[in-house]
Amino acid sequence: IGAAASADGVLDSSADGIVAIGLEACKNATNAVGTTAIGYRALKEVTSGDRNMGIGWQAGVDTLTNSDDNVFIGFESGGGAHETSASAKNVAIGNYTLHGVMNAASNNTAVGHLAGENITLADHNVLMGHESGVAITNGSYNTCLGTDCGETIQSGHRNVCIGGYADVDVEGRNDTITIGYNIESHDDDDRLRIGGSSHYLLYDFASGGGVTITSDGRIKKDIKDSDLGLDFIKELRPIKYREKAIRDW
């Protein structure tokens, strides 16, 4: 339904279940089985890719011809140019989600205005919230849950950011967990940080050392000397160790 909807492609006998509504929606389809395109130029370039869904103004407009199993819902969701290799199994809901020049970017989920807007080569990211993971290009396996969280990540991998404005400290940071409002990962890879910008718990996975918890006298009252004495100190057991190889765990 609509001018040039599924018009330029020559549908073959296997082209089952195509729904195209809107000007140039699914315009070039040939055997795009199970494709649903609703909106101006939605999924316009798909020819043989199967089971794609594009709903919205230019949703998935330049999706590579043979990309499968993508869902793009929103104004220009998935609307960036796709290059070279198929991008598959992506889910994007919200205006300008997954809007980058995607090239073999697969298994990403982005929900929220501009979430994952710049993803190109990345895969297996889960991004939920306004501008969540907005700067990611080729970083993979990141999880960002909260408004404007994970905004600094670009090439970093396997980071978890939970909370409004929770983030990493540099764009290539790897393997961090940051939980709280308006805080960022701390100085290095393999770090856990939970709390706020001033008061937080910090742990270094790589060293296996102790937990650091901030202590600020400005927020305390009724401060007294502890009754823990020499007997307690004698019970402490400092140790040294070497880390095992993973195969020996």
Side-chain angles (χ1 to χ4, degrees), residues 150-153 159 161 166-174 176 178 183-189 191 193:
E151 285 190 305
T152 301
I153 303 169
N159 297 288
C161 299
D167 204 354
V168 298
D169 56 322
V170 295
E171 62 88 14
R173 185 67 70 216
N174 299 311
T176 65
T178 306
I183 63 171
E184 62 183 31
S185 60
H186 190 77
D187 293 339
D188 207 346
D189 296 344
R191 296 289 181 94
R193 185 174 182 180

Side-chain angles (χ1 to χ4, degrees), residues 116-151:
E117 181 195 20
N118 290 295
I119 281 178
T120 54
L121 295 168
D123 54 45
H124 294 92
N125 292 288
V126 177
L127 315 170
M128 312 284 284
H130 173 265
E131 292 194 13
S132 178
V134 66
I136 293 174
T137 54
N138 61 330
S140 296
Y141 294 92
N142 296 290
T143 300
C144 302
L145 307 176
T147 187
D148 297 274
C149 75
E151 285 190 305

Side-chain angles (χ1 to χ4, degrees), residues 59-243:
V61 60
D62 287 322
T63 300
L64 199 66
T65 58
N66 59 343
S67 296
D68 298 328
D69 298 299
N70 295 290
V71 176
F72 300 122
I73 300 175
F75 185 92
E76 291 197 8
S77 174
H82 289 216
E83 291 188 347
T84 311
S85 298
S87 296
K89 302 179 180 68
N90 297 291
V91 176
I93 301 174
N95 293 348
Y96 303 107
T97 47
L98 296 185
H99 193 256
V101 181
M102 294 203 294
N103 182 7
S106 297
N107 299 291
N108 297 290
T109 299
V111 179
H113 183 72
L114 291 169
E117 181 195 20
N118 290 295
I119 281 178
T120 54
L121 295 168
D123 54 45
H124 294 92
N125 292 288
V126 177
L127 315 170
M128 312 284 284
H130 173 265
E131 292 194 13
S132 178
V134 66
I136 293 174
T137 54
N138 61 330
S140 296
Y141 294 92
N142 296 290
T143 300
C144 302
L145 307 176
T147 187
D148 297 274
C149 75
E151 285 190 305
T152 301
I153 303 169
Q154 294 181 30
S155 59
H157 304 297
R158 301 173 299 277
N159 297 288
V160 176
C161 299
I162 301 176
Y165 300 96
D167 204 354
V168 298
D169 56 322
V170 295
E171 62 88 14
R173 185 67 70 216
N174 299 311
D175 300 298
T176 65
I177 301 174
T178 306
I179 302 174
Y181 174 77
N182 195 28
I183 63 171
E184 62 183 31
S185 60
H186 190 77
D187 293 339
D188 207 346
D189 296 344
D190 301 294
R191 296 289 181 94
L192 166 69
R193 185 174 182 180
I194 301 174
S197 57
S198 299
H199 312 297
Y200 54 85
L201 176 153
L202 182 66
Y203 180 72
D204 184 346
F205 294 112
S207 70
V211 174
T212 300
I213 301 176
T214 56
S215 179
D216 191 335
R218 294 174 299 177
I219 63 173
K220 301 174 183 177
K221 65 178 182 179
D222 300 329
I223 299 173
K224 299 178 181 179
D225 291 336
S226 172
D227 56 5
L228 297 175
L230 185 60
D231 289 340
F232 171 77
I233 294 174
K234 289 180 177 179
E235 293 295 322
L236 297 177
R237 181 174 170 256
I239 66 170
K240 296 189 294 183
Y241 68 93
R242 291 188 302 127
E243 188 172 341

